[in-house]
C-alpha cells in the first residue's frame, strides 16, 4: 500500500486567481525518501501542505496510509518540519519535543522516556532543559526534527528544513537526517530548492515546474547507502545532479516522446 | 536579574539631584512654600506618619481595587474580542479612539455616580484608566501568535481551545504584563486624582490637596512621596510576577 497517493490534485488560490498546482499525480511507497524540487512558485510547498491537510486541494484526492488526508492528520499519521524550527520559546527543549506527545495524551513517564530517546537520536543529550533561544540555528532545527519524529509517524513532511542554515551545518544535518531515516524507516517528503541536497538525500527526486505547478519528471537516485561525504564526489552523483538540472531547465517546454520514454525508464 | 552594580549610576544621579535641590534652596533663598527642602519632606514623612501612612494605605486599597477590576475586565474583554473576530473589527476602532479620551475628566461625574466621598468612585476611575491599555495590549498579544505555530498545532489535530491554551495565551503573556505595569501606575494616579474631587478626610489625595490649599506644602510633598512609594511598590510587585511567569520573553532572558 502506498503511504501517500495523490490523484489529479489541482489547487487554485482565489486571491489573484493563481493556479498553484495543476493535475498532480504522485505515489509514495513505504520507506521512500522523495524530494520535491523546483523554482519558487512551482507549488512544492503547497503540495506538501495539501498532503498534510493544512490546505485543502481545489480538486483531486489525497490519501495518506490509505485514509483521506483529513483523517490521517487527525490520527497523527505524519510529522512536519518547517524552514524555521517553529519552537515554542516558553517551553524547554524537552517540552518542545514532548508537545505532540502531550497532544496524543501520553502520560508523563512515557513522554519522558521518549524525549530522552529523541534527544539521543538528534545528539542533543544534555540540552533538555535549555530554552530554544539558547541554541544555534542548526540545534534548533534538530529539536524540530526530534519533535516531528517523537511519535514515530509513518510519514515525515519537511518544508525546506535546512534552507536557512549555512552550508556546513546543512551538510552535517543532511548526514544526520539520513542516518535517522535509515534507523526509523519512515517515508519522507522533502521540499528543497537545492539540487545537490535533493540528489544526496533522496531515493527519488520529483522535479516540478512553475505556473501552473506541475510535475516535470522523476529522477530515481540509485546512489548506494549509506551515503557519506564521499557520495558527493561520486561521478554518478554528478550525473544525477546534471539530470535533475536539465529537467529543471526544460520547464515550460514540452518533452519529446523519446525523452518521455527516457524519463519513464528512470522511474 | 540585574546585578547590584548596575544600579550604582542611577543611585548616584539620584543622590546628586537631591543634594542639588537641597543646596539650591540655601543658595538662592527659595521660600519654603514654593519648594520645601528634601530633608524637610522626609522629616514630615516621618513625623506625620500617623496621618500620612494610613491615608496612603486607604488610597492604595482604592488603587488596588481599581487595578484588579479594570485589568481583569480588560483581559476578559480582550479574550472575548480575540475569540470572535467580528466583535473585534466592530469594537477595536472604538476602543482605540476611546483610549485618546482624557478619562480623568470624568472624575467628577464618577463622584456623582458612585458617591463623592465613597472609595468606590475612586476605584471606578482607576478601573476605567486601567481597562483600555490592558485590553488593547492583551488583544494585540493574542493576535500576535505565530501562524507557523498555529499550523504546527493543526498538524497535531489540535482544537481551537488547545491552540489558545498552548500558543495564543503564552504568546500574549508578555504583552499582558507590559500593560499591567502601565496600569499599576495609572491606578495610583486615578485614585489620587479622584480624591482631589472629594474623598474621605483620611485619604491621601485629600491630604495632599488640603495641604496645598493651606500652604502646608511640606505635607503635600510628603504625601506625594507616600504616593510614589506605593506606586513603585505596586509596579514592583507586577514586575516581580512578570519575572516569575514570563521568563522566556526576550528582555527577561538571562542566558
Amino acid at each position: 500500500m502506498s503511504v501517500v497517493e495523490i490523484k489529479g490534485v489541482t489547487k487554485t488560490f482565489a486571491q489573484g486567481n493563481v493556479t498553484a498546482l495543476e493535475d498532480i499525480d504522485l505515489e509514495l511507497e513505504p520507506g521512500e525518501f522523495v524530494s520535491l524540487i523546483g523554482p519558487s512558485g512551482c507549488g512544492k510547498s503547497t503540495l506538501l501542505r495539501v498532503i498534510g491537510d493544512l490546505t485543502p486541494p481545489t480538486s483531486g484526492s489525497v490519501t495518506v496510509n490509505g485514509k483521506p488526508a483529513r483523517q490521517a492528520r487527525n490520527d497523527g499519521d505524519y510529522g512536519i518540519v518547517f524552514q524555521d524550527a517553529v519552537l515554542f520559546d516558553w517551553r524547554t527543549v524537552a517540552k518542545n519535543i514532548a508537545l505532540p506527545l502531550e497532544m496524543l495524551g501520553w502520560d508523563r513517564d512515557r513522554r519522558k522516556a521518549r524525549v530522552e530517546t529523541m534527544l539521543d537520536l538528534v545528539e542533543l543529550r544534555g540540552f533538555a532543559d535549555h530554552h530554544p533561544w539558547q541554541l544555534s540555528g542548526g540545534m534548533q532545527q534538530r529539536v524540530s526534527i526530534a519533535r516531528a519524529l517523537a511519535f514515530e509517524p509513518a510519514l515525515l513532511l519537511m518544508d525546506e528544513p535546512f534552507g536557512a542554515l549555512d552550508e556546513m551545518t546543512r551538510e552535517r544535518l543532511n548526514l544526520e537526517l539520513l542516518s535517522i531515516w535509515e534507523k526509523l524507516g519512515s517515508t519522507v517528503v522533502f521540499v528543497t530548492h537545492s539540487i545537490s541536497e535533493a540528489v544526496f538525500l533522496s531515493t527519488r527526486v520529483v522535479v516540478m515546474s512553475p505556473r501552473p505547478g506541475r510535475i516535470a519528471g522523476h529522477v530515481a537516485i540509485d546512489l548506494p547507502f549509506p551515503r557519506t561525504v564521499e557520495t558527493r564526489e561520486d561521478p554518478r552523483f554528478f550525473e544525477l545532479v546534471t539530470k535533475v538540472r536539465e529537467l529543471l531547465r526544460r520547464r515550460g517546454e514540452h518533452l519529446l516522446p523519446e525523452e518521455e520514454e527516457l524519463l519513464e525508464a528512470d522511474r | 536579574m540585574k546585578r547590584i552594580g548596575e544600579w550604582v549610576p542611577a543611585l548616584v544621579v539620584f543622590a546628586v539631584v537631591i543634594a542639588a535641590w537641597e543646596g539650591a534652596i540655601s543658595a538662592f533663598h527659595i521660600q519654603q512654600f514654593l519648594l520645601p527642602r528634601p530633608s524637610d519632606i522626609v522629616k514630615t514623612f516621618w513625623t506625620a506618619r500617623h496621618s500620612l501612612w494610613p491615608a496612603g494605605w486607604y488610597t492604595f486599597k482604592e488603587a488596588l481595587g481599581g487595578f484588579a477590576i479594570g485589568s481583569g475586565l480588560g483581559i476578559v474583554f480582550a479574550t472575548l474580542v480575540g475569540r470572535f473576530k467580528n466583535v473585534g473589527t466592530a469594537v477595536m476602532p472604538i476602543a482605540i479612539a476611546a483610549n485618546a479620551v482624557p478619562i480623568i475628566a470624568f472624575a467628577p461625574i464618577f463622584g456623582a455616580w458612585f458617591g463623592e466621598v465613597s472609595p468606590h468612585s475612586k476605584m471606578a476611575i482607576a478601573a476605567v484608566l486601567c481597562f483600555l491599555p490592558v485590553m488593547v495590549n492583551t488583544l494585540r498579544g493574542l493576535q500576535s501568535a505565530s501562524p507557523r505555530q498555529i499550523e504546527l498545532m493543526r498538524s497535531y489535530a489540535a482544537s481551537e481551545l488547545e491552540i489558545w491554551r498552548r500558543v495564543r495565551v503564552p504568546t500574549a503573556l508578555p504583552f499582558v504584563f507590559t500593560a499591567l505595569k502601565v496600569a499599576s501606575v495609572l491606578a495610583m494616579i486615578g485614585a489620587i486624582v479622584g480624591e482631589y474631587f472629594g474623598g474621605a478626610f483620611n485619604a491621601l489625595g485629600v491630604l495632599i490637596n488640603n495641604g496645598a490649599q493651606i500652604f502646608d506644602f511640606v505635607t503635600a510633598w510628603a504625601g506625594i512621596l507616600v504616593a510614589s512609594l506605593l506606586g513603585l511598590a505596586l509596579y514592583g510587585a507586577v514586575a516581580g510576577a512578570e519575572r516569575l511567569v514570563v521568563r522566556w520573553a526576550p528582555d527577561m532572558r538571562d542566558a
Side-chain angles (χ1 to χ4, degrees), chain A residues 191-213:
Chain A
V191 170
T192 179
H193 49 231
S194 157
I195 300 172
S196 61
E197 185 176 58
V199 171
F200 181 77
L201 290 173
S202 312
T203 57
R204 177 159 55 125
V205 174
V206 175
V207 179
M208 296 182 69
S209 65
R211 286 173 291 276

Side-chain angles (χ1 to χ4, degrees), chain A residues 49 54 73-74 78 80 82 84 86-91 99-100 102-103 131 133-134 147 151 159, chain B residues 146 148-149 151-159 162 165-167 170-171 247-249 253-255:
Chain A
R49 283 185 161 63
L54 296 174
R73 176 168 66 90
N74 286 335
Y78 73 87
I80 190 162
F82 298 102
D84 38 335
V86 196
L87 300 177
F88 293 15
D89 278 342
W90 49 91
R91 287 172 169 255
L99 176 66
E102 285 173 27
M103 302 296 299
H131 280 267
W133 72 84
Q134 297 169 311
R147 177 180 62 190
F151 52 103
D159 190 3
Chain B
S146 139
R148 277 279 180 283
Q149 291 180 344
E151 198 165 41
L152 181 78
M153 293 302 285
R154 293 249 153 79
S155 86
Y156 301 142
S159 65
E162 279 168 319
R165 212 180 93 201
R166 290 171 202 268
V167 180
T171 308
R247 269 173 291 189
W248 70 84
R253 294 171 185 179
D254 46 21

Side-chain angles (χ1 to χ4, degrees), chain B residues 56-230:
Chain B
W57 178 240
Y58 180 89
T59 302
F60 185 69
K61 280 188 291 185
E62 292 171 348
L64 206 60
F67 173 75
I69 294 167
S71 304
L73 284 177
I75 290 170
V76 168
F77 213 77
T79 309
L80 289 177
V81 171
R83 183 70 191 81
F84 305 102
K85 258 202 192 108
N86 298 337
V87 182
T89 43
V91 169
M92 274 318 281
I94 299 171
I96 289 163
N99 213 3
V101 174
I103 287 162
I104 208 73
F106 286 93
I109 299 172
F110 279 41
W113 285 354
F114 298 101
E116 205 173 319
V117 183
S118 144
H120 295 133
S121 60
K122 286 72 185 173
M123 259 184 222
I125 294 163
V128 171
L129 276 178
C130 294
F131 174 78
L132 274 171
V134 172
M135 205 253 314
V136 171
N137 261 291
T138 305
L139 186 61
R140 189 171 300 151
L142 289 171
Q143 289 170 340
S144 335
S146 139
R148 277 279 180 283
Q149 291 180 344
I150 291 172
E151 198 165 41
L152 181 78
M153 293 302 285
R154 293 249 153 79
S155 86
Y156 301 142
S159 65
E160 275 302 312
L161 190 71
E162 279 168 319
I163 291 174
W164 267 76
R165 212 180 93 201
R166 290 171 202 268
V167 180
R168 287 195 198 277
V169 171
T171 308
L173 278 177
F175 291 79
V176 174
F177 274 103
T178 303
L180 288 181
K181 284 193 282 190
V182 173
S184 70
V185 176
L186 289 176
M188 223 32 217
I189 295 175
I192 289 181
V193 174
E195 286 165 354
Y196 287 176
F197 297 94
F201 68 94
N202 60 337
L204 194 59
V206 174
L207 261 155
I208 295 170
N209 201 22
N210 289 349
Q213 276 174 10
I214 59 167
F215 297 98
D216 180 8
F217 284 107
V218 185
T219 304
W221 275 91
I224 291 168
L225 180 60
V226 171
S228 308
L229 290 176
L230 290 169

Side-chain angles (χ1 to χ4, degrees), chain A residues 87-144:
Chain A
L87 300 177
F88 293 15
D89 278 342
W90 49 91
R91 287 172 169 255
T92 60
V93 165
K95 286 202 165 157
N96 267 289
I97 296 174
L99 176 66
L101 309 178
E102 285 173 27
M103 302 296 299
L104 290 169
W106 288 28
D107 64 48
R108 187 184 296 261
D109 291 341
R110 203 168 155 218
R111 288 203 305 258
K112 195 162 176 267
R114 176 54 58 82
V115 166
E116 271 176 28
T117 314
M118 297 317 292
L119 283 170
D120 277 347
L121 189 69
V122 296
E123 289 169 30
L124 281 176
R125 179 172 271 271
F127 291 94
D129 296 326
H130 282 60
H131 280 267
W133 72 84
Q134 297 169 311
L135 307 180
S136 69
M139 289 160 95
Q140 291 183 7
Q141 201 53 284
R142 266 143 69 193
V143 175
S144 173

Side-chain angles (χ1 to χ4, degrees), chain A residues 46-57 62 64 68-74 78 80 155 157, chain B residues 151 154-155 157:
Chain A
T46 306
L47 184 56
L48 193 87
R49 283 185 161 63
V50 169
I51 297 172
D53 187 44
L54 296 174
T55 184
V62 180
V64 175
R70 169 68 44 91
Q71 198 190 330
R73 176 168 66 90
N74 286 335
Y78 73 87
I80 190 162
L155 178 65
L157 304 177
Chain B
E151 198 165 41
R154 293 249 153 79
S155 86

Side-chain angles (χ1 to χ4, degrees), chain A residues 143-177:
Chain A
V143 175
S144 173
I145 291 169
R147 177 180 62 190
L149 291 170
F151 52 103
E152 294 183 332
L155 178 65
L156 179 60
L157 304 177
M158 306 184 87
D159 190 3
E160 298 189 35
F162 309 136
L165 303 177
D166 64 85
E167 193 69 23
M168 305 268 287
T169 312
R170 185 177 195 154
E171 290 191 1
R172 210 186 58 240
L173 284 184
N174 280 345
L175 283 170
E176 277 183 29
L177 176 61

